[in-house]
Amino acid sequence: MASPRPVVVLTALDDLTADHVITELHGRDVPVVRLDPGRPGDVTFSAHAGTGRTWHGPLSTPTRFLELGDARAVYHRRPSRYTAPGGLDGQDREFAAAQVRHGLGGLLAALPHCLYVNHPHRNSGAEYKPRQITTALRAGLEVPPTLITNDPGAARAFAKEHGPVVYKPLRSTEYRQGGELRTIWVRPVDAGEIGDGVAACPHLFQQVVGKTADVRIAAVGDELFATRITIDGDHLDWRWDYDRITYDPIDVPGPVRTGIRTYLHAFGLAFGAFDFALGRDGVWRFYECNPNGQWAFVDDHTTGAITAALADLLEKGTPA
């Protein structure tokens, strides 16, 4: 009898969210090969293609072995940034890192007969906020008035017309002050404080939603797991202080449910972490969808349900 085809989990070694799914798969006797392609020194492989066959051959880590053609599914969580092996510097290091990204990373994005949750190229395409907002509106979801601009005058006019408004970064990127890593949070802005620095790069401004709570929805295939997030206080961004948050399951209205499924289909995603504001008028307003967002921080029951749903999806995989 042939051995069961393994699930491949691509993530950093300290990813506790992935641990939930791996533990669930192990409990089902589903073999798992976990590796971090961003640490190329830990991976040895020889991939062959041609004469009618697509990629096959051995891949090994210090603790695991994978026949590339046997993977049933890939859970692309949060691997480290692709780097070069040690001992290189300057141009050689940059060259080697690019070869790792396009060689090993490209190979792991091209495994045959394989389900991806999600495919890294689809994740990348779904991370751009302008496209997220376009897709959400086309899917019938409500979006607060939003402006993306590098024109200080346009920003001030928007703030006056739609105030109160907030500023949001278009992407979470590493930012340091005095050598210390800083987080750029969502923050309120007034028209009078918007200066000419806006011209340095595009900025996203959005009307503040008068809300009663936030909602995080983990969408796994056709299943939705929604959590009402209530803050003890009036933080605009609930990620400021997790100790002041309570979590409660909440039902998703039919139109929002339909919009989320349309949104996922448009991007070709099997998973998405959606953020909504629950307005005081009862309207659910779309903020964003992180195609690879966190989900294991909510209540234990919902975390367990999301874990099981992801394990179901990965265990089913794609037939060889």
Side-chain angles (χ1 to χ4, degrees):
M1 181 176 178
S3 299
R5 296 167 63 208
V7 170
V8 180
V9 178
L10 304 178
T11 197
L13 298 179
D14 59 352
D15 183 3
L16 300 180
T17 298
D19 291 345
H20 287 278
V21 178
I22 293 170
T23 299
E24 177 72 16
L25 290 170
H26 282 158
R28 303 179 182 195
D29 294 324
V30 175
V32 175
V33 176
R34 176 179 186 159
L35 65 113
D36 184 357
R39 297 167 56 95
D42 293 343
V43 182
T44 301
F45 66 98
S46 295
H48 303 264
T51 61
R53 291 190 66 185
T54 187
W55 296 112
H56 61 282
L59 180 150
S60 62
T61 73
T63 60
R64 294 289 184 268
F65 174 84
L66 171 69
E67 165 51 52
L68 293 167
D70 287 347
R72 77 168 84 182
V74 173
Y75 185 25
H76 190 277
R77 256 293 295 169
R78 295 198 171 183
S80 304
R81 182 181 302 176
Y82 289 102
T83 58
L88 301 176
D89 54 24
Q91 182 173 299
D92 289 342
R93 186 172 184 81
E94 292 181 11
F95 176 84
Q99 303 311 301
V100 172
R101 182 172 63 254
H102 288 271
L104 177 56
L107 177 66
L108 293 171
L111 297 180
H113 316 300
C114 193
L115 169 74
Y116 282 86
V117 183
N118 295 305
H119 195 284
H121 299 171
R122 294 192 182 277
N123 274 350
S124 178
E127 288 179 342
Y128 290 86
K129 281 188 169 62
R131 191 179 175 199
Q132 288 188 17
I133 290 173
T134 295
T135 305
L137 289 168
R138 287 177 176 172
L141 298 171
E142 292 286 337
V143 177
T146 304
L147 172 71
I148 298 175
T149 185
N150 65 350
D151 182 342
R156 286 189 283 268
F158 180 84
K160 290 177 181 177
E161 179 181 358
H162 295 285
V165 302
V166 294
Y167 160 74
K168 299 180 178 182
L170 286 155
R171 180 174 174 81
S172 295
T173 57
E174 187 173 286
Y175 188 85
R176 294 182 181 274
Q177 285 184 327
E180 294 188 13
L181 192 63
R182 303 289 187 181
T183 298
I184 300 176
W185 300 103
V186 175
R187 62 180 292 266
V189 293
D190 181 81
E193 67 177 304
I194 296 175
D196 292 340
V198 168
C201 65
H203 288 60
L204 187 151
F205 300 94
Q206 193 168 71
Q207 186 178 57
V208 172
V209 177
K211 61 186 179 182
T212 59
D214 292 273
V215 178
R216 166 60 66 93
I217 301 174
V220 184
D222 289 331
E223 297 186 78
L224 302 183
F225 304 91
T227 301
R228 178 189 176 110
I229 300 174
T230 306
I231 306 168
D232 179 14
D234 59 355
H235 291 334
L236 285 169
D237 192 327
W238 51 263
R239 297 170 300 172
W240 284 1
D241 190 349
Y242 283 84
D243 292 335
R244 300 177 66 181
I245 294 173
T246 57
Y247 307 104
D248 299 285
I250 186 173
D251 292 329
V252 181
V256 176
R257 186 176 293 271
T258 299
I260 287 174
R261 288 173 174 163
T262 301
Y263 183 103
L264 291 173
H265 178 74
F267 280 111
L269 301 174
F271 172 86
F274 289 79
D275 287 320
F276 286 84
L278 180 54
R280 288 194 288 267
D281 55 4
V283 176
W284 290 45
R285 291 181 174 84
F286 172 89
Y287 280 155
E288 65 177 343
C289 173
N290 186 334
N292 206 3
Q294 301 287 14
W295 49 265
F297 62 89
V298 297
D299 62 279
D300 291 344
H301 175 77
T302 303
T303 294
I306 298 169
T307 299
L310 281 167
D312 288 343
L313 197 61
L314 293 165
E315 182 178 13
K316 181 179 179 181
T318 302

